[in-house]
Amino acid sequence: MTQTTRSAPSTHTASNRHDRPTTLSLRHLSRDIPAGIVVFLVAIPLCLGIALASGAPPIAGLVAGMVGGLVVTMFSGSALSVSGPAAGLTVIVLDAIEQLGSFSAFLIAVVLAGALQLLMGVFKLGRIGAFVPTSVIKGMLAGIGLILVLGQFPMALGHPLEDMPSITEPVALFSGISPLATLIALFSLALLVLWEQPVIKRHRALALIPGPLLVVLGSIAIDRLVGGAMPGWALGAGHHIDLGGLSGPSELIAQMTRPDLGALANPAVYTVAITIAIIASLETLLSLEAIDKLDPLKRHSPPHRELKAQGIGNMVCGLVGALPVTAVIVRSSANANAGGRTRLSSLIHGGLLLVSVAFLAVWLELIPLATLAAILLHTGYKLAKPALFMEQYREGMRRFIPFTVTVVTILATDLLMGVLVGLVCSLYFLLQSGYRSAITCTRRGEHMLLKFQQDVSFLNREEMRQCLDAVPDNGELIIDARGANYIDPDIREDIDRFVDNAAARGIVVELRDVEGTNGTFGHVESPPGAAHAV
């Protein structure tokens, strides 16, 4: 009888099992509360800025942050991931609202996108991110970054939302500039860049202070001081966040946009829903992989469960008038860096967002729009910094070309089309690589060797035919297929035809493991049909 010995689990394994985020544990409360506060302070300007960049009401971004913190967190399997409105969806949302005609019609697409994500999680499609080449993903993020930079530049110069010139109109862009708004934007950008320098990160106390929070507080101070001292430079109401004068929870509920059920009759709604579901899922899964690498406890977040959580969250977003949400790396990394350990930190951040919007909206309206523009400009630059382009270039044309094609297509059309074109471009290089390396043909005098070095398909058919046509009469051909696990039926058909005609040309054909066939055929004394005896 065989006796099985079971060893006791190690302390490390037991600790990891105890820390798995299957429940909302209070075990790390002393770490999760400060981390939740930090994430909340980072989330406020990002939620507002992304809403403005998306052409949606500012309240829609804040409500999306609440849903990400309070709803998605409850269903998520990730300990440190934080969900909310994402910069990666701004392009889609902006175009979709314009295409569908209203924000309320867009909300129906968000509900449908959430339902699709939920189904993707149920059918265990959480690994789809692994099938998108890194060059295309980086191209997608770089394209989003460039659009953010181009879109927020006019606001950074002080142009109000209702009269925003395009960056392609230089005369209008640089006329009517607000000196104070420009000063605030430059101050904000300088402080954001400074706060990422090693000299700041080396000081733990400074590193714990969120850069966006300092930017917001500093910008409000500059606005009040300079505007008071120099009335001619003072910013008007159109240069500040407008939350409609919210003063309580009842007004918050009243301002939430309801989805337009009549939009279900519009076919474009379903296209938008599919686009949101795909892009939001990709961004979520990529963020999930990144945040797992930052987890000090080395836990693994279940991707299928995360898709379900995001789907439920986006269905709620569509119903309560919020922007679509994804897992977002900026807030998630802030959570990890601030010492967060469980999902409680994300839940705290969502609760603080709810309280601040419901009871402190008047203070949020003090934030200049130029500040939010600077935060998004900084975010866009980090997504599309020149070093990224140089990195892709150094890795070779097989990466650089799909990356560049994705970026250019996104700028010229839209996000989904850019990703699809990038995928096609990557697939072309993959097929080209397989085409070139699958078959080698070597000739020495009257002897030829046709070798399959990997799986061969119909794409290699013409190259193989050229080799077969080059075999001289009364020559010898060896077909060595030991390197291929699979041979396309079209390829086998051409081989069989050549073997059947070999005897008439005096050619000797030796097959080595061509789908199990081994032997010598042709003018030697072998039955004509022997080549087919597998």
Side-chain angles (χ1 to χ4, degrees):
M1 179 181 295
T2 303
Q3 183 177 0
T4 303
T5 302
R6 296 184 179 178
S7 59
S10 67
T11 305
H12 177 74
T13 305
S15 173
N16 277 4
R17 186 183 297 114
H18 185 78
D19 286 322
R20 284 176 185 168
T22 53
T23 59
L24 289 171
S25 172
L26 300 180
R27 183 167 181 257
H28 297 288
L29 191 63
S30 61
R31 289 178 174 269
D32 287 335
I33 290 179
I37 295 173
V38 169
V39 177
F40 157 68
L41 296 173
V42 172
I44 286 180
L46 288 174
C47 289
L48 289 168
I50 290 169
L52 292 172
S54 303
I59 194 69
L62 293 168
V63 175
M66 298 175 205
V67 173
L70 297 174
V71 178
V72 175
T73 301
M74 297 299 295
F75 296 95
S76 173
S78 175
L80 299 179
S81 178
V82 179
S83 296
L89 293 178
T90 53
V91 182
I92 295 175
V93 176
L94 185 64
D95 291 343
I97 294 174
E98 182 178 353
Q99 180 184 1
L100 300 178
S102 68
F103 184 63
S104 58
F106 169 75
L107 293 175
I108 285 293
V110 177
V111 175
L112 295 175
L116 287 174
Q117 285 184 291
L118 181 59
L119 290 175
M120 289 166 70
V122 170
F123 288 105
K124 301 187 182 302
L125 298 180
R127 297 295 182 188
I128 59 173
F131 295 96
V132 181
T134 303
S135 57
V136 175
I137 293 170
K138 291 183 176 180
M140 177 188 76
L141 296 175
I144 292 167
L146 289 174
I147 289 175
L148 281 178
V149 170
L150 297 175
Q152 300 310 304
F153 192 67
M155 192 186 298
L157 296 177
H159 291 284
L161 286 175
E162 62 272 8
D163 188 24
M164 188 83 70
S166 168
I167 199 168
T168 59
E169 303 171 306
V171 175
L173 183 65
F174 290 101
S175 62
I177 292 177
S178 168
L180 183 53
T182 305
L183 174 65
I184 288 174
L186 291 174
F187 160 79
S188 302
L189 282 171
L191 187 55
L192 288 169
V193 172
L194 171 65
W195 223 248
E196 291 194 340
Q197 300 306 308
V199 65
I200 299 294
K201 294 182 177 180
R202 280 196 295 266
H203 294 79
R204 180 168 176 78
L206 292 177
L208 288 176
I209 302 174
L213 173 63
L214 288 180
V215 165
V216 167
L217 295 177
S219 298
I220 292 175
I222 293 173
D223 180 25
R224 296 287 133 183
L225 292 174
V226 177
M230 305 174 65
W233 278 27
L235 299 179
H239 294 95
H240 291 88
I241 293 170
D242 181 13
L243 296 178
L246 286 178
S247 59
S250 59
E251 291 189 13
L252 171 61
I253 295 173
Q255 284 201 25
M256 291 181 180
T257 307
R258 303 292 184 270
D260 179 11
L261 295 177
L264 289 170
N266 185 353
V269 165
Y270 302 94
T271 303
V272 172
I274 294 172
T275 303
I276 293 173
I278 293 174
I279 301 301
S281 297
L282 282 175
E283 185 158 351
T284 289
L285 296 171
L286 294 172
S287 297
L288 209 61
E289 289 187 15
I291 198 61
D292 278 351
K293 294 177 183 177
L294 297 177
D295 187 357
L297 301 180
K298 306 302 179 185
R299 290 164 290 191
H300 173 68
S301 303
H304 310 310
R305 177 173 171 179
E306 190 63 28
L307 282 184
K308 295 177 188 177
Q310 296 292 330
I312 294 171
N314 276 322
M315 291 173 71
V316 173
C317 283
L319 294 173
V320 299
L323 292 174
V325 296
T326 74
V328 279
I329 191 60
V330 174
R331 275 152 276 185
S332 299
S333 58
N335 187 20
N337 294 333
R341 287 293 184 270
T342 74
R343 291 183 291 159
L344 187 60
S345 58
S346 179
L347 197 66
I348 290 170
H349 124 270
L352 291 175
L353 274 175
L354 175 60
V355 172
S356 66
V357 175
F359 300 102
L360 304 174
V362 64
W363 296 100
L364 297 179
E365 291 184 330
L366 296 176
I367 303 175
L369 292 177
T371 305
L372 302 182
I375 291 173
L376 289 172
L377 281 170
H378 186 248
T379 302
Y381 173 79
K382 289 194 294 184
L383 291 174
K385 53 188 175 183
L388 175 62
F389 287 79
M390 293 304 300
E391 173 192 329
Q392 294 296 301
Y393 177 76
R394 285 193 293 267
E395 290 184 359
M397 291 297 107
R398 291 186 60 184
R399 280 184 173 268
F400 183 68
I401 292 178
F403 168 83
T404 306
V405 166
T406 302
V407 173
V408 172
T409 307
I410 287 174
L411 294 176
T413 56
D414 55 53
L415 200 62
L416 183 59
M417 182 59 67
V419 171
L420 291 176
V421 173
L423 282 172
V424 171
C425 187
S426 296
L427 183 61
Y428 166 77
F429 280 102
L430 176 64
L431 294 176
Q432 185 185 53
S433 174
Y435 172 79
R436 288 180 174 177
S437 60
I439 292 178
T440 60
C441 187
T442 307
R443 178 172 180 174
R444 287 185 180 178
E446 304 297 309
H447 305 277
M448 295 193 68
L449 170 64
L450 175 60
K451 189 172 184 179
F452 297 163
Q453 302 187 108
Q454 61 187 40
D455 296 349
V456 287
S457 70
F458 65 91
L459 295 174
N460 307 107
R461 195 174 190 182
E462 180 58 29
E463 183 182 11
M464 188 193 69
R465 284 179 173 179
Q466 291 179 8
C467 183
L468 295 178
D469 291 343
V471 178
D473 292 346
N474 302 313
E476 181 180 348
L477 171 66
I478 299 175
I479 302 179
D480 186 351
R482 288 175 294 182
N485 294 319
Y486 171 77
I487 298 177
D488 190 287
D490 289 340
I491 296 291
R492 183 57 201 260
E493 180 182 320
D494 284 351
I495 292 174
D496 289 345
R497 185 180 300 112
F498 184 86
V499 171
D500 287 342
N501 297 328
R505 296 175 56 191
I507 297 174
V508 177
V509 181
E510 180 181 345
L511 301 184
R512 298 178 181 174
D513 200 20
V514 180
E515 291 190 340
T517 301
N518 291 279
T520 303
F521 309 93
H523 76 279
V524 297
E525 295 189 6
S526 299
H532 301 280
V534 179

